[in-house]
Amino acid sequence: MKELVRLVLPIGMVEVLIVGLFLFATAAECSAVIRVKLMPVLHVLASLITSKLRSFLTTSSKVDGNGMEDIVLRLLGSPISLPCPSPRLAQERHLTAREAGGGEVMRAPVAPIIVPEVACQPRNQTQPAAETPDTPVPTIEAMLVTASPSSWIDPISGRRQKLRPLPSREVEMRSLNRLLGGTELHMVPAAVWPLDVHMALQGAVPRVLVLSGHWHGSCWAAENEQREARLVSGEEFGAMLAGRLPEVLVLNGCMSSQFAETLLSQLRATPRSHDVYLISCTTKLHDKFAAQFCQSLCSLLTKNNSCEPLPVPEAFCVACRQYDGQQGHMMMGDPATYLHTELLSPQVVPPHPYNPGCPGCNPPVHGSFQLVTLQKTGAAMITQPPMFCES
């Protein structure tokens, strides 16, 4: 509108009136009959304004002739067509026609008046190249996909069962963020299957993918929108990884080795350009130990501020030796060999209430992991900690 006022003030009140009628004729509530009769006349008068503006602007040295044509066409609109009447006006005309002679009034369609289109792109500027479907997906060092559903619904009985929360899940996320952070780590907390995992893998392919949370049988417990458990099989997860296969998969949860077996079968049928390493838990797992072992392992597997990444078999062995009972209170081993609930039959009551000093209540070992190497040829090799690791 500022351009309009600046351009029409020097050429007189008659032209101002013409432009005003032009704007009135393009208003949404203007009668279609008025527009049809008025628009051709206004376009003829607009051409006269164009020639007068050319003379005025050229002599005033405000803009060259070509720039003036752009301004006039932008003021006139590009393209201009006759808008449809509002529903209220259409209803009024319909009722008036029925009262005047009865029945519907059939009108011939009105052809729109089109002004040649002028591109809004500035001159000597090209449009950015559109992203092609073959654009490579960036590679990052690590991705943490974690879930801790609040409940699980038994598919047979329909009963809802509360699930134990994982207090060290936040510790796990915080430690990996301190280790990598920035652009080399992508975290997917409270992962809803399959949307959250699919979107994360479409955005980046990690070298190390950590899948953390509860395992039920041979399934990982992801979440749905209501934070209920959504059991994901190894076959489903393997299909999700097609074309986005990481080098290392860490399955951080109790008895995740059963999930690793079905995932391994799926990955064998997936084309691979490199060896794939699956690290999974073969026992029950202490929540705090799970977070500590994950941090130790990722610090050796990834390129970070501490060191360059080690080969995966070597990194696994070094991480296991850190929990041999000599470097801290957490220790690698199977807690089931100590727990009262494992040694006693279900009918026998534990000998005493929970006692943190009792090995049967609080085992001195906190979980054990294994490494499975899936070679490009399809062969698999299992490495157990720590006594089978070479020095």
mmCIF file of all heavy atoms in Angstrom, residues 211 215-220 232-238 249-251 253-270 272 276-283 370-374 378 380-382 384:
data_model
loop_
_atom_site.group_PDB
_atom_site.id
_atom_site.type_symbol
_atom_site.label_atom_id
_atom_site.label_comp_id
_atom_site.label_asym_id
_atom_site.label_seq_id
_atom_site.Cartn_x
_atom_site.Cartn_y
_atom_site.Cartn_z
ATOM 1 N N LEU A 211 20.137 -50.123 22.940
ATOM 2 C CA LEU A 211 18.716 -50.354 23.170
ATOM 3 C C LEU A 211 18.561 -50.735 24.635
ATOM 4 O O LEU A 211 19.063 -51.786 25.072
ATOM 5 C CB LEU A 211 18.205 -51.461 22.252
ATOM 6 C CG LEU A 211 16.702 -51.660 22.159
ATOM 7 C CD1 LEU A 211 16.029 -50.432 21.569
ATOM 8 C CD2 LEU A 211 16.370 -52.890 21.329
ATOM 9 N N TRP A 215 13.169 -56.294 29.234
ATOM 10 C CA TRP A 215 12.958 -57.370 28.271
ATOM 11 C C TRP A 215 11.991 -58.375 28.869
ATOM 12 O O TRP A 215 12.051 -58.682 30.067
ATOM 13 C CB TRP A 215 14.279 -58.046 27.916
ATOM 14 C CG TRP A 215 14.881 -57.515 26.654
ATOM 15 C CD1 TRP A 215 14.796 -58.073 25.408
ATOM 16 C CD2 TRP A 215 15.664 -56.332 26.500
ATOM 17 N NE1 TRP A 215 15.465 -57.298 24.492
ATOM 18 C CE2 TRP A 215 16.016 -56.224 25.137
ATOM 19 C CE3 TRP A 215 16.098 -55.338 27.376
ATOM 20 C CZ2 TRP A 215 16.769 -55.178 24.633
ATOM 21 C CZ3 TRP A 215 16.842 -54.296 26.882
ATOM 22 C CH2 TRP A 215 17.180 -54.214 25.527
ATOM 23 N N HIS A 216 11.077 -58.853 28.038
ATOM 24 C CA HIS A 216 10.096 -59.859 28.471
ATOM 25 C C HIS A 216 10.206 -61.029 27.506
ATOM 26 O O HIS A 216 9.807 -60.941 26.343
ATOM 27 C CB HIS A 216 8.686 -59.279 28.461
ATOM 28 C CG HIS A 216 7.625 -60.258 28.891
ATOM 29 N ND1 HIS A 216 7.432 -60.601 30.199
ATOM 30 C CD2 HIS A 216 6.719 -60.966 28.175
ATOM 31 C CE1 HIS A 216 6.444 -61.480 30.283
ATOM 32 N NE2 HIS A 216 6.004 -61.721 29.063
ATOM 33 N N GLY A 217 10.791 -62.116 27.999
ATOM 34 C CA GLY A 217 11.032 -63.239 27.101
ATOM 35 C C GLY A 217 12.026 -62.818 26.022
ATOM 36 O O GLY A 217 13.111 -62.329 26.296
ATOM 37 N N SER A 218 11.640 -62.998 24.769
ATOM 38 C CA SER A 218 12.497 -62.628 23.649
ATOM 39 C C SER A 218 12.083 -61.299 23.028
ATOM 40 O O SER A 218 12.386 -61.036 21.868
ATOM 41 C CB SER A 218 12.454 -63.728 22.574
ATOM 42 O OG SER A 218 11.120 -63.904 22.110
ATOM 43 N N CYS A 219 11.396 -60.447 23.798
ATOM 44 C CA CYS A 219 10.901 -59.166 23.277
ATOM 45 C C CYS A 219 11.398 -58.004 24.130
ATOM 46 O O CYS A 219 11.568 -58.141 25.356
ATOM 47 C CB CYS A 219 9.370 -59.140 23.251
ATOM 48 S SG CYS A 219 8.622 -60.300 22.082
ATOM 49 N N TRP A 220 11.629 -56.883 23.479
ATOM 50 C CA TRP A 220 11.960 -55.633 24.161
ATOM 51 C C TRP A 220 10.674 -54.870 24.433
ATOM 52 O O TRP A 220 9.788 -54.796 23.569
ATOM 53 C CB TRP A 220 12.902 -54.799 23.287
ATOM 54 C CG TRP A 220 13.154 -53.405 23.792
ATOM 55 C CD1 TRP A 220 13.695 -53.051 24.991
ATOM 56 C CD2 TRP A 220 12.887 -52.179 23.111
ATOM 57 N NE1 TRP A 220 13.786 -51.685 25.111
ATOM 58 C CE2 TRP A 220 13.297 -51.115 23.957
ATOM 59 C CE3 TRP A 220 12.338 -51.866 21.874
ATOM 60 C CZ2 TRP A 220 13.159 -49.777 23.602
ATOM 61 C CZ3 TRP A 220 12.218 -50.536 21.504
ATOM 62 C CH2 TRP A 220 12.634 -49.506 22.366
ATOM 63 N N VAL A 232 8.242 -55.717 21.421
ATOM 64 C CA VAL A 232 8.845 -55.686 20.086
ATOM 65 C C VAL A 232 9.745 -56.904 19.946
ATOM 66 O O VAL A 232 10.665 -57.114 20.750
ATOM 67 C CB VAL A 232 9.663 -54.395 19.878
ATOM 68 C CG1 VAL A 232 10.282 -54.371 18.482
ATOM 69 C CG2 VAL A 232 8.792 -53.174 20.102
ATOM 70 N N SER A 233 9.519 -57.709 18.938
ATOM 71 C CA SER A 233 10.322 -58.910 18.720
ATOM 72 C C SER A 233 11.617 -58.569 17.996
ATOM 73 O O SER A 233 11.782 -57.483 17.420
ATOM 74 C CB SER A 233 9.516 -59.930 17.901
ATOM 75 O OG SER A 233 9.309 -59.433 16.576
ATOM 76 N N GLY A 234 12.540 -59.523 18.017
ATOM 77 C CA GLY A 234 13.785 -59.341 17.299
ATOM 78 C C GLY A 234 13.572 -59.221 15.799
ATOM 79 O O GLY A 234 14.301 -58.491 15.111
ATOM 80 N N GLU A 235 12.577 -59.940 15.265
ATOM 81 C CA GLU A 235 12.284 -59.841 13.837
ATOM 82 C C GLU A 235 11.814 -58.428 13.473
ATOM 83 O O GLU A 235 12.224 -57.871 12.452
ATOM 84 C CB GLU A 235 11.217 -60.867 13.438
ATOM 85 C CG GLU A 235 11.691 -62.312 13.481
ATOM 86 C CD GLU A 235 11.563 -62.928 14.867
ATOM 87 O OE1 GLU A 235 11.254 -62.192 15.834
ATOM 88 O OE2 GLU A 235 11.780 -64.152 14.984
ATOM 89 N N GLU A 236 10.941 -57.856 14.303
ATOM 90 C CA GLU A 236 10.458 -56.502 14.031
ATOM 91 C C GLU A 236 11.598 -55.488 14.067
ATOM 92 O O GLU A 236 11.711 -54.618 13.198
ATOM 93 C CB GLU A 236 9.400 -56.099 15.065
ATOM 94 C CG GLU A 236 8.045 -56.716 14.885
ATOM 95 C CD GLU A 236 7.059 -56.183 15.910
ATOM 96 O OE1 GLU A 236 7.113 -56.644 17.065
ATOM 97 O OE2 GLU A 236 6.250 -55.302 15.567
ATOM 98 N N PHE A 237 12.445 -55.619 15.077
ATOM 99 C CA PHE A 237 13.532 -54.649 15.218
ATOM 100 C C PHE A 237 14.540 -54.810 14.089
ATOM 101 O O PHE A 237 15.079 -53.823 13.575
ATOM 102 C CB PHE A 237 14.213 -54.822 16.574
ATOM 103 C CG PHE A 237 15.074 -53.661 16.960
ATOM 104 C CD1 PHE A 237 14.510 -52.493 17.441
ATOM 105 C CD2 PHE A 237 16.448 -53.724 16.832
ATOM 106 C CE1 PHE A 237 15.305 -51.409 17.789
ATOM 107 C CE2 PHE A 237 17.258 -52.658 17.175
ATOM 108 C CZ PHE A 237 16.681 -51.499 17.649
ATOM 109 N N GLY A 238 14.813 -56.040 13.693
ATOM 110 C CA GLY A 238 15.734 -56.265 12.584
ATOM 111 C C GLY A 238 15.219 -55.678 11.284
ATOM 112 O O GLY A 238 15.987 -55.114 10.492
ATOM 113 N N LEU A 249 25.522 -53.158 18.279
ATOM 114 C CA LEU A 249 24.224 -53.091 18.949
ATOM 115 C C LEU A 249 24.421 -53.541 20.390
ATOM 116 O O LEU A 249 24.884 -54.660 20.647
ATOM 117 C CB LEU A 249 23.206 -53.994 18.258
ATOM 118 C CG LEU A 249 22.648 -53.474 16.937
ATOM 119 C CD1 LEU A 249 22.360 -54.609 15.989
ATOM 120 C CD2 LEU A 249 21.377 -52.680 17.192
ATOM 121 N N VAL A 250 24.072 -52.671 21.342
ATOM 122 C CA VAL A 250 24.174 -52.987 22.765
ATOM 123 C C VAL A 250 22.754 -53.128 23.306
ATOM 124 O O VAL A 250 21.983 -52.159 23.314
ATOM 125 C CB VAL A 250 24.940 -51.893 23.534
ATOM 126 C CG1 VAL A 250 25.051 -52.269 25.011
ATOM 127 C CG2 VAL A 250 26.328 -51.679 22.934
ATOM 128 N N LEU A 251 22.414 -54.336 23.761
ATOM 129 C CA LEU A 251 21.083 -54.622 24.295
ATOM 130 C C LEU A 251 21.205 -54.630 25.815
ATOM 131 O O LEU A 251 21.585 -55.644 26.415
ATOM 132 C CB LEU A 251 20.568 -55.958 23.756
ATOM 133 C CG LEU A 251 20.647 -56.133 22.230
ATOM 134 C CD1 LEU A 251 20.175 -57.518 21.817
ATOM 135 C CD2 LEU A 251 19.847 -55.043 21.516
ATOM 136 N N GLY A 253 19.741 -54.780 29.136
ATOM 137 C CA GLY A 253 18.594 -55.131 29.969
ATOM 138 C C GLY A 253 18.651 -56.596 30.353
ATOM 139 O O GLY A 253 19.392 -57.400 29.764
ATOM 140 N N CYS A 254 17.870 -56.984 31.362
ATOM 141 C CA CYS A 254 17.871 -58.362 31.860
ATOM 142 C C CYS A 254 17.534 -59.355 30.759
ATOM 143 O O CYS A 254 16.539 -59.184 30.036
ATOM 144 C CB CYS A 254 16.862 -58.505 32.996
ATOM 145 S SG CYS A 254 17.223 -57.535 34.463
ATOM 146 N N MET A 255 18.352 -60.391 30.635
ATOM 147 C CA MET A 255 18.102 -61.506 29.724
ATOM 148 C C MET A 255 17.857 -61.060 28.283
ATOM 149 O O MET A 255 17.070 -61.667 27.556
ATOM 150 C CB MET A 255 16.898 -62.322 30.231
ATOM 151 C CG MET A 255 17.016 -62.821 31.657
ATOM 152 S SD MET A 255 18.431 -63.950 31.903
ATOM 153 C CE MET A 255 17.989 -65.303 30.824
ATOM 154 N N SER A 256 18.564 -60.036 27.863
ATOM 155 C CA SER A 256 18.368 -59.546 26.491
ATOM 156 C C SER A 256 19.005 -60.469 25.454
ATOM 157 O O SER A 256 18.817 -60.274 24.257
ATOM 158 C CB SER A 256 18.943 -58.137 26.343
ATOM 159 O OG SER A 256 20.326 -58.107 26.664
ATOM 160 N N SER A 257 19.750 -61.487 25.888
ATOM 161 C CA SER A 257 20.372 -62.416 24.947
ATOM 162 C C SER A 257 19.329 -63.209 24.161
ATOM 163 O O SER A 257 19.595 -63.636 23.030
ATOM 164 C CB SER A 257 21.313 -63.366 25.682
ATOM 165 O OG SER A 257 20.622 -64.077 26.693
ATOM 166 N N GLN A 258 18.137 -63.430 24.739
ATOM 167 C CA GLN A 258 17.085 -64.134 24.004
ATOM 168 C C GLN A 258 16.596 -63.285 22.829
ATOM 169 O O GLN A 258 16.355 -63.790 21.730
ATOM 170 C CB GLN A 258 15.922 -64.449 24.947
ATOM 171 C CG GLN A 258 16.305 -65.356 26.111
ATOM 172 C CD GLN A 258 15.131 -65.610 27.042
ATOM 173 O OE1 GLN A 258 13.976 -65.655 26.629
ATOM 174 N NE2 GLN A 258 15.423 -65.788 28.326
ATOM 175 N N PHE A 259 16.479 -61.991 23.052
ATOM 176 C CA PHE A 259 16.136 -61.064 21.978
ATOM 177 C C PHE A 259 17.244 -61.053 20.925
ATOM 178 O O PHE A 259 16.983 -60.998 19.718
ATOM 179 C CB PHE A 259 15.929 -59.673 22.562
ATOM 180 C CG PHE A 259 15.614 -58.587 21.573
ATOM 181 C CD1 PHE A 259 14.307 -58.314 21.211
ATOM 182 C CD2 PHE A 259 16.627 -57.818 21.027
ATOM 183 C CE1 PHE A 259 14.017 -57.305 20.308
ATOM 184 C CE2 PHE A 259 16.355 -56.803 20.133
ATOM 185 C CZ PHE A 259 15.044 -56.541 19.768
ATOM 186 N N ALA A 260 18.514 -61.120 21.389
ATOM 187 C CA ALA A 260 19.654 -61.097 20.466
ATOM 188 C C ALA A 260 19.634 -62.302 19.531
ATOM 189 O O ALA A 260 20.031 -62.190 18.361
ATOM 190 C CB ALA A 260 20.956 -61.054 21.259
ATOM 191 N N GLU A 261 19.181 -63.439 20.009
ATOM 192 C CA GLU A 261 19.139 -64.639 19.164
ATOM 193 C C GLU A 261 18.177 -64.461 17.996
ATOM 194 O O GLU A 261 18.512 -64.788 16.848
ATOM 195 C CB GLU A 261 18.730 -65.847 20.002
ATOM 196 C CG GLU A 261 19.787 -66.290 21.009
ATOM 197 C CD GLU A 261 19.325 -67.460 21.841
ATOM 198 O OE1 GLU A 261 18.244 -68.017 21.526
ATOM 199 O OE2 GLU A 261 20.025 -67.831 22.804
ATOM 200 N N THR A 262 16.966 -63.959 18.264
ATOM 201 C CA THR A 262 16.008 -63.751 17.173
ATOM 202 C C THR A 262 16.456 -62.612 16.262
ATOM 203 O O THR A 262 16.248 -62.664 15.043
ATOM 204 C CB THR A 262 14.618 -63.455 17.739
ATOM 205 O OG1 THR A 262 14.675 -62.314 18.607
ATOM 206 C CG2 THR A 262 14.093 -64.633 18.534
ATOM 207 N N LEU A 263 17.070 -61.580 16.847
ATOM 208 C CA LEU A 263 17.584 -60.482 16.031
ATOM 209 C C LEU A 263 18.708 -60.970 15.122
ATOM 210 O O LEU A 263 18.806 -60.564 13.956
ATOM 211 C CB LEU A 263 18.077 -59.355 16.929
ATOM 212 C CG LEU A 263 18.702 -58.144 16.243
ATOM 213 C CD1 LEU A 263 17.728 -57.491 15.279
ATOM 214 C CD2 LEU A 263 19.186 -57.126 17.278
ATOM 215 N N LEU A 264 19.546 -61.867 15.641
ATOM 216 C CA LEU A 264 20.648 -62.409 14.856
ATOM 217 C C LEU A 264 20.130 -63.165 13.639
ATOM 218 O O LEU A 264 20.679 -63.048 12.531
ATOM 219 C CB LEU A 264 21.496 -63.322 15.739
ATOM 220 C CG LEU A 264 22.780 -63.885 15.132
ATOM 221 C CD1 LEU A 264 23.776 -62.780 14.858
ATOM 222 C CD2 LEU A 264 23.388 -64.931 16.056
ATOM 223 N N SER A 265 19.072 -63.927 13.823
ATOM 224 C CA SER A 265 18.485 -64.663 12.696
ATOM 225 C C SER A 265 17.965 -63.709 11.632
ATOM 226 O O SER A 265 18.108 -63.960 10.432
ATOM 227 C CB SER A 265 17.352 -65.570 13.193
ATOM 228 O OG SER A 265 17.834 -66.507 14.146
ATOM 229 N N GLN A 266 17.366 -62.602 12.074
ATOM 230 C CA GLN A 266 16.858 -61.609 11.131
ATOM 231 C C GLN A 266 18.002 -60.917 10.388
ATOM 232 O O GLN A 266 17.927 -60.688 9.177
ATOM 233 C CB GLN A 266 16.010 -60.575 11.879
ATOM 234 C CG GLN A 266 15.456 -59.447 11.018
ATOM 235 C CD GLN A 266 14.366 -59.910 10.085
ATOM 236 O OE1 GLN A 266 13.730 -60.941 10.339
ATOM 237 N NE2 GLN A 266 14.122 -59.164 9.012
ATOM 238 N N LEU A 267 19.072 -60.589 11.110
ATOM 239 C CA LEU A 267 20.183 -59.864 10.492
ATOM 240 C C LEU A 267 20.957 -60.747 9.516
ATOM 241 O O LEU A 267 21.564 -60.233 8.568
ATOM 242 C CB LEU A 267 21.131 -59.330 11.567
ATOM 243 C CG LEU A 267 20.556 -58.260 12.502
ATOM 244 C CD1 LEU A 267 21.630 -57.788 13.483
ATOM 245 C CD2 LEU A 267 19.998 -57.086 11.709
ATOM 246 N N ARG A 268 20.950 -62.060 9.728
ATOM 247 C CA ARG A 268 21.623 -62.956 8.796
ATOM 248 C C ARG A 268 21.023 -62.849 7.398
ATOM 249 O O ARG A 268 21.723 -63.014 6.396
ATOM 250 C CB ARG A 268 21.513 -64.402 9.284
ATOM 251 C CG ARG A 268 22.609 -64.820 10.250
ATOM 252 C CD ARG A 268 22.719 -66.333 10.295
ATOM 253 N NE ARG A 268 23.868 -66.763 11.088
ATOM 254 C CZ ARG A 268 23.785 -67.210 12.328
ATOM 255 N NH1 ARG A 268 22.613 -67.269 12.931
ATOM 256 N NH2 ARG A 268 24.875 -67.594 12.965
ATOM 257 N N ALA A 269 19.719 -62.583 7.339
ATOM 258 C CA ALA A 269 19.038 -62.465 6.044
ATOM 259 C C ALA A 269 19.100 -61.054 5.483
ATOM 260 O O ALA A 269 18.554 -60.796 4.409
ATOM 261 C CB ALA A 269 17.577 -62.898 6.192
ATOM 262 N N THR A 270 19.746 -60.129 6.197
ATOM 263 C CA THR A 270 19.833 -58.731 5.759
ATOM 264 C C THR A 270 21.178 -58.485 5.082
ATOM 265 O O THR A 270 22.220 -58.860 5.636
ATOM 266 C CB THR A 270 19.691 -57.778 6.965
ATOM 267 O OG1 THR A 270 18.449 -58.055 7.625
ATOM 268 C CG2 THR A 270 19.721 -56.328 6.512
ATOM 269 N N ARG A 272 24.628 -57.014 4.241
ATOM 270 C CA ARG A 272 25.515 -56.259 5.118
ATOM 271 C C ARG A 272 26.815 -55.968 4.391
ATOM 272 O O ARG A 272 27.329 -56.804 3.658
ATOM 273 C CB ARG A 272 25.823 -57.043 6.405
ATOM 274 C CG ARG A 272 24.622 -57.417 7.221
ATOM 275 C CD ARG A 272 25.018 -58.244 8.451
ATOM 276 N NE ARG A 272 25.822 -59.415 8.122
ATOM 277 C CZ ARG A 272 25.332 -60.555 7.638
ATOM 278 N NH1 ARG A 272 24.030 -60.664 7.454
ATOM 279 N NH2 ARG A 272 26.125 -61.573 7.364
ATOM 280 N N VAL A 276 28.801 -57.166 12.082
ATOM 281 C CA VAL A 276 27.897 -56.582 13.074
ATOM 282 C C VAL A 276 28.172 -57.246 14.417
ATOM 283 O O VAL A 276 28.329 -58.476 14.501
ATOM 284 C CB VAL A 276 26.429 -56.776 12.672
ATOM 285 C CG1 VAL A 276 25.505 -56.187 13.735
ATOM 286 C CG2 VAL A 276 26.151 -56.123 11.325
ATOM 287 N N TYR A 277 28.235 -56.424 15.465
ATOM 288 C CA TYR A 277 28.534 -56.909 16.819
ATOM 289 C C TYR A 277 27.317 -56.696 17.716
ATOM 290 O O TYR A 277 26.809 -55.577 17.814
ATOM 291 C CB TYR A 277 29.741 -56.178 17.391
ATOM 292 C CG TYR A 277 30.998 -56.328 16.563
ATOM 293 C CD1 TYR A 277 31.306 -55.422 15.555
ATOM 294 C CD2 TYR A 277 31.873 -57.385 16.779
ATOM 295 C CE1 TYR A 277 32.453 -55.561 14.797
ATOM 296 C CE2 TYR A 277 33.028 -57.542 16.029
ATOM 297 C CZ TYR A 277 33.311 -56.618 15.030
ATOM 298 O OH TYR A 277 34.448 -56.755 14.274
ATOM 299 N N LEU A 278 26.849 -57.780 18.360
ATOM 300 C CA LEU A 278 25.722 -57.718 19.286
ATOM 301 C C LEU A 278 26.229 -57.992 20.695
ATOM 302 O O LEU A 278 26.792 -59.071 20.958
ATOM 303 C CB LEU A 278 24.640 -58.738 18.920
ATOM 304 C CG LEU A 278 23.641 -58.373 17.825
ATOM 305 C CD1 LEU A 278 24.288 -58.457 16.458
ATOM 306 C CD2 LEU A 278 22.418 -59.276 17.881
ATOM 307 N N ILE A 279 26.035 -57.033 21.597
ATOM 308 C CA ILE A 279 26.407 -57.189 22.998
ATOM 309 C C ILE A 279 25.112 -57.248 23.808
ATOM 310 O O ILE A 279 24.318 -56.301 23.777
ATOM 311 C CB ILE A 279 27.307 -56.033 23.468
ATOM 312 C CG1 ILE A 279 28.600 -56.019 22.642
ATOM 313 C CG2 ILE A 279 27.612 -56.154 24.960
ATOM 314 C CD1 ILE A 279 29.480 -54.817 22.908
ATOM 315 N N SER A 280 24.901 -58.349 24.508
ATOM 316 C CA SER A 280 23.637 -58.544 25.222
ATOM 317 C C SER A 280 23.909 -59.137 26.597
ATOM 318 O O SER A 280 24.989 -59.665 26.875
ATOM 319 C CB SER A 280 22.707 -59.463 24.421
ATOM 320 O OG SER A 280 23.323 -60.732 24.219
ATOM 321 N N CYS A 281 22.889 -59.053 27.453
ATOM 322 C CA CYS A 281 22.992 -59.554 28.826
ATOM 323 C C CYS A 281 22.440 -60.982 28.883
ATOM 324 O O CYS A 281 21.347 -61.252 28.386
ATOM 325 C CB CYS A 281 22.227 -58.639 29.770
ATOM 326 S SG CYS A 281 22.276 -59.146 31.495
ATOM 327 N N THR A 282 23.189 -61.872 29.513
ATOM 328 C CA THR A 282 22.792 -63.279 29.594
ATOM 329 C C THR A 282 22.143 -63.634 30.932
ATOM 330 O O THR A 282 21.736 -64.781 31.130
ATOM 331 C CB THR A 282 24.025 -64.176 29.393
ATOM 332 O OG1 THR A 282 25.012 -63.845 30.377
ATOM 333 C CG2 THR A 282 24.615 -63.973 28.008
ATOM 334 N N THR A 283 22.046 -62.668 31.859
ATOM 335 C CA THR A 283 21.546 -62.934 33.209
ATOM 336 C C THR A 283 20.578 -61.831 33.624
ATOM 337 O O THR A 283 20.299 -60.896 32.860
ATOM 338 C CB THR A 283 22.712 -62.971 34.213
ATOM 339 O OG1 THR A 283 23.312 -61.658 34.264
ATOM 340 C CG2 THR A 283 23.767 -63.978 33.791
ATOM 341 N N GLN A 370 27.585 -60.865 27.010
ATOM 342 C CA GLN A 370 28.317 -61.616 26.005
ATOM 343 C C GLN A 370 28.371 -60.817 24.705
ATOM 344 O O GLN A 370 27.553 -59.927 24.474
ATOM 345 C CB GLN A 370 27.671 -62.976 25.740
ATOM 346 C CG GLN A 370 26.349 -62.896 24.992
ATOM 347 C CD GLN A 370 25.785 -64.257 24.637
ATOM 348 O OE1 GLN A 370 26.284 -65.288 25.077
ATOM 349 N NE2 GLN A 370 24.726 -64.272 23.828
ATOM 350 N N LEU A 371 29.349 -61.139 23.871
ATOM 351 C CA LEU A 371 29.519 -60.502 22.573
ATOM 352 C C LEU A 371 29.336 -61.549 21.488
ATOM 353 O O LEU A 371 29.965 -62.615 21.522
ATOM 354 C CB LEU A 371 30.921 -59.881 22.468
ATOM 355 C CG LEU A 371 31.386 -59.443 21.074
ATOM 356 C CD1 LEU A 371 30.530 -58.289 20.558
ATOM 357 C CD2 LEU A 371 32.860 -59.066 21.081
ATOM 358 N N VAL A 372 28.471 -61.242 20.516
ATOM 359 C CA VAL A 372 28.279 -62.099 19.343
ATOM 360 C C VAL A 372 28.718 -61.314 18.119
ATOM 361 O O VAL A 372 28.208 -60.214 17.863
ATOM 362 C CB VAL A 372 26.808 -62.547 19.188
ATOM 363 C CG1 VAL A 372 26.650 -63.408 17.937
ATOM 364 C CG2 VAL A 372 26.357 -63.318 20.422
ATOM 365 N N THR A 373 29.667 -61.864 17.382
ATOM 366 C CA THR A 373 30.161 -61.231 16.163
ATOM 367 C C THR A 373 29.527 -61.909 14.962
ATOM 368 O O THR A 373 29.714 -63.116 14.734
ATOM 369 C CB THR A 373 31.693 -61.349 16.068
ATOM 370 O OG1 THR A 373 32.280 -60.779 17.237
ATOM 371 C CG2 THR A 373 32.214 -60.627 14.839
ATOM 372 N N LEU A 374 28.733 -61.137 14.200
ATOM 373 C CA LEU A 374 28.111 -61.645 12.968
ATOM 374 C C LEU A 374 28.947 -61.152 11.792
ATOM 375 O O LEU A 374 28.945 -59.964 11.469
ATOM 376 C CB LEU A 374 26.665 -61.158 12.855
ATOM 377 C CG LEU A 374 25.921 -61.575 11.577
ATOM 378 C CD1 LEU A 374 25.827 -63.094 11.469
ATOM 379 C CD2 LEU A 374 24.537 -60.948 11.534
ATOM 380 N N GLY A 378 28.099 -64.499 7.300
ATOM 381 C CA GLY A 378 26.967 -65.113 7.991
ATOM 382 C C GLY A 378 27.372 -65.932 9.192
ATOM 383 O O GLY A 378 26.508 -66.368 9.960
ATOM 384 N N ALA A 380 28.755 -66.712 12.927
ATOM 385 C CA ALA A 380 28.641 -66.017 14.207
ATOM 386 C C ALA A 380 29.627 -66.597 15.199
ATOM 387 O O ALA A 380 29.814 -67.815 15.271
ATOM 388 C CB ALA A 380 27.226 -66.113 14.750
ATOM 389 N N MET A 381 30.259 -65.722 15.985
ATOM 390 C CA MET A 381 31.226 -66.138 16.998
ATOM 391 C C MET A 381 30.861 -65.476 18.323
ATOM 392 O O MET A 381 30.606 -64.273 18.372
ATOM 393 C CB MET A 381 32.643 -65.736 16.569
ATOM 394 C CG MET A 381 33.723 -66.142 17.561
ATOM 395 S SD MET A 381 35.377 -65.717 16.951
ATOM 396 C CE MET A 381 35.251 -63.936 16.873
ATOM 397 N N ILE A 382 30.803 -66.263 19.393
ATOM 398 C CA ILE A 382 30.397 -65.781 20.717
ATOM 399 C C ILE A 382 31.630 -65.606 21.599
ATOM 400 O O ILE A 382 32.493 -66.498 21.671
ATOM 401 C CB ILE A 382 29.397 -66.744 21.377
ATOM 402 C CG1 ILE A 382 28.137 -66.886 20.517
ATOM 403 C CG2 ILE A 382 29.034 -66.272 22.775
ATOM 404 C CD1 ILE A 382 27.118 -67.870 21.056
ATOM 405 N N GLN A 384 32.615 -64.727 25.593
ATOM 406 C CA GLN A 384 32.114 -64.591 26.960
ATOM 407 C C GLN A 384 33.121 -63.797 27.798
ATOM 408 O O GLN A 384 34.313 -63.832 27.543
ATOM 409 C CB GLN A 384 31.904 -65.972 27.589
ATOM 410 C CG GLN A 384 30.896 -66.840 26.880
ATOM 411 C CD GLN A 384 29.468 -66.404 27.112
ATOM 412 O OE1 GLN A 384 29.210 -65.540 27.951
ATOM 413 N NE2 GLN A 384 28.534 -67.002 26.394
#
